[in-house]
Amino acid sequence: MLWRVRATLPERPGALAALAAECGAAGVNILGVQVFPGIEAVTDELVLSTPDAWTAADLVDLVGRAGAESVIAAPCTEAALTDQPTRYVQAARAVLETPASFPEVVAALLDADVLPVGDSQDVMEMTVGAVQVQIRRDAPFTATEHARGSAMADLVNDVLGREQHHPHHPAFVLSDNRRMGAGSSPAYHVEGRSAVASIEGVRVGLATLREAGPDLPDVLPVDLEVDPAWQRRGIGTRLLSDAARLANGLGAEAILLTTRSDNQAVMPMVMAAGMRGRIRMAGDALTVRIAVRDLRPLPVAQP
């Protein structure tokens, strides 16, 4: 059976050798080692092979006898034996292809989760533009892993920066619809719980606030849609901003935007709107929670 074990060893000569000796005496095979250096202690991550009857508690006891502290053991698969530089290259390629996949990619890279699993998990927070991305896991993140996470976030910032300066690479595929009033500027107004954009009297964009759910009574989901023929013109950014201000006027704490995980326009749109958001990815869905309490309220249109 394969296990991933993370432990803190004292920074002294022979510490890892003592651990190897304990494993050898118990018939446990060390298949992989990754070292995260520190000043007074070193965090080691090992992939161990044990007989099928072994439990996580057995491994914690074994590694503890070698002088290790903060030992965490969990079953793993052969994927844990993948070469680490190869994993990071593959992760970088995935982020370059789909920047919005960053939360899921970096979580997998650091053996973490995007969504909370328990109350005692350690949290790593990274910033992409104005978007805060959080990942978490039971084992504390090391300084080396924080640096790696920041480097991956910088990569996303670079990619999104290039997208903003190269509009000939659109995040949306434009439709063949006729571009009505190509020289006209959009007009924006509020209809009930919706922020509306129109061109020459024709509606081209809409952001509608739905009712809050029982689990998040202070968070209003928002449905945002822009005619494909009018995307990449800042309409979505303006509508998102107006919807956020409208939500503030309704007494909400935040809005929640949900879209496909492969929608590359979401992060640039939130960044361009200048608002603080937290992005999460789960399966095929990407959600962004944007705080609205510090925004200037937008009056709600009266029926």
Side-chain angles (χ1 to χ4, degrees):
M1 185 172 182
L2 293 182
W3 298 82
R4 189 194 303 273
V5 178
R6 182 173 287 242
T8 301
L9 293 172
E11 180 55 66
R12 63 169 182 260
L16 190 56
L19 175 58
E22 287 287 348
C23 289
V28 173
N29 191 18
I30 301 176
L31 300 180
V33 178
Q34 186 175 186
V35 179
F36 301 97
I39 304 267
E40 298 180 353
V42 175
T43 298
D44 290 317
E45 184 177 274
L46 305 99
V47 179
L48 304 179
S49 175
T50 69
D52 292 340
W54 277 62
T55 66
D58 294 330
L59 282 170
V60 170
D61 181 65
L62 169 67
V63 178
R65 291 200 300 269
E69 299 178 348
S70 303
V71 183
I72 296 177
C76 65
T77 67
E78 293 182 358
L81 298 174
T82 304
D83 176 65
Q84 290 299 314
T86 300
R87 291 185 66 201
Y88 277 86
V89 170
Q90 292 172 340
R93 291 182 62 184
V95 170
L96 286 171
E97 292 175 0
T98 310
S101 69
F102 172 74
E104 191 173 61
V105 170
V106 76
L109 191 63
L110 298 175
D111 304 307
D113 297 302
V114 177
L115 299 178
V117 176
D119 296 331
S120 61
Q121 290 186 307
D122 191 25
V123 177
M124 179 189 294
E125 186 169 285
M126 295 151 285
T127 301
V128 179
V131 179
Q132 294 178 338
V133 177
Q134 290 184 338
I135 61 174
R136 58 201 77 215
R137 71 181 187 200
D138 292 332
F141 293 102
T142 66
T144 300
E145 289 172 315
H146 276 283
R148 291 175 179 177
S150 296
M152 291 294 289
D154 290 341
L155 175 64
V156 177
N157 282 320
D158 290 344
V159 173
L160 295 178
R162 289 199 300 270
E163 286 290 328
Q164 290 178 340
H165 290 89
H166 295 281
H168 56 281
H169 295 299
F172 289 109
V173 177
L174 297 178
S175 73
D176 294 330
N177 295 349
R178 180 172 60 92
R179 291 183 179 274
M180 301 166 292
S184 303
S185 297
Y188 298 93
H189 65 281
V190 174
E191 295 180 6
R193 296 168 65 93
S194 299
V196 182
S198 58
I199 302 286
E200 297 180 356
V202 178
R203 182 177 295 180
V204 297
L206 182 69
T208 300
L209 296 169
R210 293 188 278 113
E211 296 292 338
D215 296 335
L216 298 171
D218 297 324
V219 179
L220 299 181
V222 57
D223 295 327
L224 176 62
E225 183 178 4
V226 177
D227 188 315
W230 290 94
Q231 291 170 2
R232 298 292 293 180
R233 297 191 175 194
I235 295 176
T237 299
R238 169 62 186 270
L239 289 175
L240 181 65
S241 177
D242 284 355
R245 294 175 55 204
L246 187 60
N248 181 297
L250 292 170
E253 290 290 318
I255 60 174
L256 189 68
L257 178 65
T258 303
T259 184
R260 305 181 318 274
S261 60
D262 61 351
N263 190 339
Q264 299 184 36
V266 172
M267 294 177 74
M269 182 171 62
V270 175
M271 291 167 60
M275 297 181 292
R276 301 291 296 179
R278 288 188 175 180
I279 188 169
R280 289 178 177 175
M281 184 177 294
D284 295 330
L286 181 148
T287 61
V288 183
R289 176 170 173 157
I290 300 171
V292 303
R293 57 182 176 274
D294 295 329
L295 301 179
R296 181 165 56 89
L298 190 66
V300 180
Q302 299 299 320

